[in-house]
Amino acid sequence: MLKQLSLWLALSTVLPGLATAADYAKFTVPGLAKGQLSHSDIAPLIAYYQQQDWLEVTELGRSVEQRPIYLIKIGNGERKVLAWSQMHGDEPTATAAIFDLLAVLDARQQQQAATGDGGPAWLDNVSLYLIPMLNPDGAERKSRFNALGIDVNRDALALQTPEGQLLMQAAKQIKPHYGFNLHDQNRYHAAGENKKPATISLLAPAYNEAREINPSRHAAMQLVSAVKPLLDKVLPEQLGRYDDSYSIRSFGDTFSKMGISTVLVESGGQYNDPFRQQARQINVQLYLSWLEMISNGSYRDYDLSGYNSIPMNTSGGMKDLIISNISLPKLDGSGVLARVDLAFTAGGNGRGQVVLDEIGDASIYGGYHSLDASGMHYNAGKVYPLTGPLSLSAEKYLQLLAEGYSHFTGKAGLLSNNSGLPVAINPRGVNTLWPQRSMTTTFLLTKDNAVQLAVVDGRLIRLADASLLDAFSGN
Ligand SMILES: [Zn+2]
């Protein structure tokens, strides 16, 4: 274990952040790979680190609902770094990454104690201050906002929230040279025109409307340029640049105005990675790289070309599901009027109702899931009225779908669904000749007059083998 550890540490020292996923896995804190983290998830970790003598854990203050907010201090160097996560309660990825970073450092400390080896060089030059989970009340209710319904990241001027006050107070007392503002972005951001998810997006926020570049913002941009080669390697074509419109009420912009070189890190979606574990790992690699480069000043060797070459995020550039080349019938129900693509998303940042939000040419979008329906015809399907109790086995359901029934109407309580597959009862927006925008999305796809696929509230059932593609259960 120690041998592997030292290999990893040697790698991360020589080639910042280039340790492999397998190396990283050794330091992944168990229990944090989920869609939401709340105070109870981090409390035992905080309690552990309160017992360690290589770092200081203090209570910075309390949230509206009196949950503790912690400040962790590591190192005693001159260059001060402040990083905070989860100021939006439903954005937990960087909180997990912060505890992974602590696990790396803790292992290094233990190794040092056992072998007498020196600790990481940057600890001599850097003081690192971490505020994991700035908004524990929002985290508790899986909400962006604090307990008052205030967006803490729009409270940098008015300072109406205790959480915002604590962050500002920390910044004024610590006077950091560098700030890392750690967030999650919605999974529908694509990286530029790449039609791929922006798994990480970075920004050196503006400090004025004109988006000028002063020395402190310049340094933040250099920090981004300096990690671009790493990101090009571990995340090809999936790095985006966040919009740099000046947001006067936001902390990143306000800190930038205060002369703190601030970098915004947004963790985003990835294929088949609903809990953003790749973004979590890359966050740790970024933190280690930045700490080392801040310590030795090597980021100043980079110009802004790396920063400027990162493509802007394309908002809405990703869809959960794209079904392309569906043949639509003519007005009389015969033949083929047009071949279209349908693109679906689940509203509410991937947690809401499935919506058909594009009909036509979806070729500009990337899909977390895609299906080419060439040769298949749209068919709204027939309604199966529930007139009495119906126990629905998979076999019975597939038979009904094959007969052209797409949905049920009547009292939902009459249907006992034992099929293991989704059913649509009293859906909106079916029984039309053509698919309808912003409606729930239930229809059939036929080939040679045989039903091949059923789309039930956006979920794809393949009749041949009763397989289900639920494009909305996470990506
Ligand atoms: Zn956020």
Side-chain angles (χ1 to χ4, degrees):
M1 174 64 195
L2 272 183
K3 196 174 173 188
Q4 289 168 325
L5 178 64
S6 58
L7 172 68
W8 192 88
L9 295 174
L11 267 177
S12 66
T13 306
V14 178
L15 302 166
L18 288 186
T20 66
D23 294 325
Y24 169 78
K26 299 188 191 84
F27 302 101
T28 307
V29 178
L32 303 184
K34 47 189 184 180
Q36 182 59 19
L37 296 178
S38 60
H39 181 260
S40 60
D41 293 301
I42 67 166
L45 297 163
I46 291 288
Y48 169 77
Y49 286 112
Q50 281 171 330
Q51 303 303 314
Q52 309 307 310
D53 58 7
W54 60 271
L55 74 179
E56 293 168 33
V57 182
T58 52
E59 190 179 304
L60 184 63
R62 297 246 164 171
S63 65
V64 170
E65 292 178 334
Q66 294 300 306
R67 291 188 177 87
I69 296 165
Y70 299 100
L71 178 67
I72 299 170
K73 184 184 180 224
I74 301 161
N76 282 299
E78 285 183 357
R79 298 176 189 183
K80 294 177 183 169
V81 178
L82 173 63
W84 63 98
S85 73
Q86 220 170 336
M87 70 191 308
H88 291 140
D90 57 350
E91 300 178 8
T93 303
T95 299
I98 283 177
F99 285 100
D100 294 344
L101 172 71
L102 293 176
V104 171
L105 300 179
D106 193 43
R108 206 179 314 214
Q109 292 295 329
Q110 287 176 17
Q111 184 198 27
Q112 189 185 355
T115 65
D117 289 352
W122 61 261
L123 278 177
D124 295 335
N125 299 323
V126 170
S127 294
L128 173 61
Y129 297 84
L130 301 167
I131 306 174
M133 197 179 285
L134 178 65
N135 178 7
D137 296 349
E140 200 65 26
R141 34 173 76 66
K142 298 184 184 177
S143 162
R144 174 182 179 88
F145 308 105
N146 82 341
L148 301 175
I150 296 175
D151 185 335
V152 179
N153 202 24
R154 300 293 180 270
D155 191 31
L157 286 188
L159 295 175
Q160 293 161 332
T161 63
E163 298 86 1
Q165 290 163 12
L166 289 169
L167 179 58
M168 183 58 80
Q169 174 196 318
K172 289 195 165 162
Q173 283 175 1
I174 294 164
K175 298 188 174 59
H177 305 95
Y178 305 91
F180 293 95
N181 186 9
L182 309 174
H183 289 254
D184 280 81
Q185 61 186 357
N186 86 50
R187 69 179 191 236
Y188 303 120
H189 288 302
E193 307 299 314
N194 289 333
K195 302 185 207 173
K196 293 177 180 174
T199 304
I200 294 286
S201 292
L202 300 173
L203 171 72
Y207 67 93
N208 64 9
E209 284 288 351
R211 295 179 265 187
E212 289 173 305
I213 300 171
N214 61 3
S216 101
R217 189 175 185 216
H218 189 268
M221 290 171 156
Q222 286 177 301
L223 284 169
V224 173
S225 285
V227 294
K228 173 99 179 356
L230 162 67
L231 291 166
D232 285 342
K233 192 162 288 197
V234 298
L235 200 60
E237 298 189 333
Q238 290 186 240
L239 172 65
R241 187 150 43 112
Y242 210 80
D243 174 25
D244 76 342
S245 301
Y246 182 54
S247 173
I248 194 168
R249 299 178 300 165
S250 299
F251 271 93
D253 306 58
T254 301
F255 283 0
S256 190
K257 195 174 184 176
M258 288 162 61
I260 303 168
S261 296
T262 305
V263 176
L264 169 72
V265 181
E266 295 274 358
S267 294
Q270 176 60 295
Y271 304 104
N272 302 310
D273 184 14
F275 303 140
R276 302 188 175 189
Q277 296 302 288
Q278 192 192 8
R280 172 181 170 183
Q281 174 184 341
I282 292 172
N283 265 263
V284 180
Q285 292 176 297
L286 288 173
Y287 307 161
L288 286 168
S289 299
W290 277 324
L291 289 166
E292 190 152 303
M293 290 190 287
I294 285 170
S295 166
N296 62 25
S298 60
Y299 76 89
R300 293 194 182 278
D301 298 341
Y302 291 82
D303 61 20
L304 304 192
S305 58
Y307 183 90
N308 289 324
S309 69
I310 300 172
M312 299 300 291
N313 270 359
T314 301
S315 178
M318 292 298 298
K319 306 291 179 186
D320 285 311
L321 173 65
I322 298 174
I323 306 177
S324 52
N325 301 308
I326 297 176
S327 298
L328 300 185
K330 296 176 186 168
L331 185 58
D332 65 4
S334 73
V336 177
L337 174 71
R339 286 186 183 81
V340 301
D341 311 328
L342 304 180
F344 305 83
T345 52
N349 204 6
R351 292 186 290 270
Q353 193 177 43
V354 176
V355 170
L356 170 55
D357 63 7
E358 184 69 283
I359 303 171
D361 177 1
S363 63
I364 64 163
Y365 304 116
Y368 281 104
H369 300 277
S370 301
L371 175 84
D372 183 355
S374 292
M376 294 194 196
H377 298 259
Y378 179 89
N379 181 323
K382 297 183 289 186
V383 54
Y384 189 97
L386 295 166
T387 52
L390 175 64
S391 178
L392 195 65
S393 65
E395 192 182 10
K396 171 72 176 170
Y397 188 27
L398 292 170
Q399 183 193 331
L400 291 178
L401 293 171
E403 288 170 10
Y405 294 100
S406 61
H407 62 288
F408 302 86
T409 56
K411 281 187 182 159
L414 290 173
L415 184 71
S416 171
N417 180 16
N418 307 308
S419 70
L421 298 166
V423 297
I425 306 174
N426 303 317
R428 290 185 302 137
V430 293
N431 269 341
T432 55
L433 191 58
W434 302 304
Q436 301 294 309
R437 227 172 247 262
S438 299
M439 293 289 197
T440 50
T441 46
T442 295
F443 57 89
L444 306 174
L445 290 171
T446 66
K447 194 171 192 174
D448 302 329
N449 293 318
V451 178
Q452 305 281 318
L453 291 162
V455 179
V456 176
D457 193 19
R459 288 150 176 96
L460 243 72
I461 301 169
R462 187 164 61 184
L463 270 64
D465 59 0
S467 65
L468 173 69
L469 170 63
D470 186 347
F472 308 93
S473 61
N475 294 297

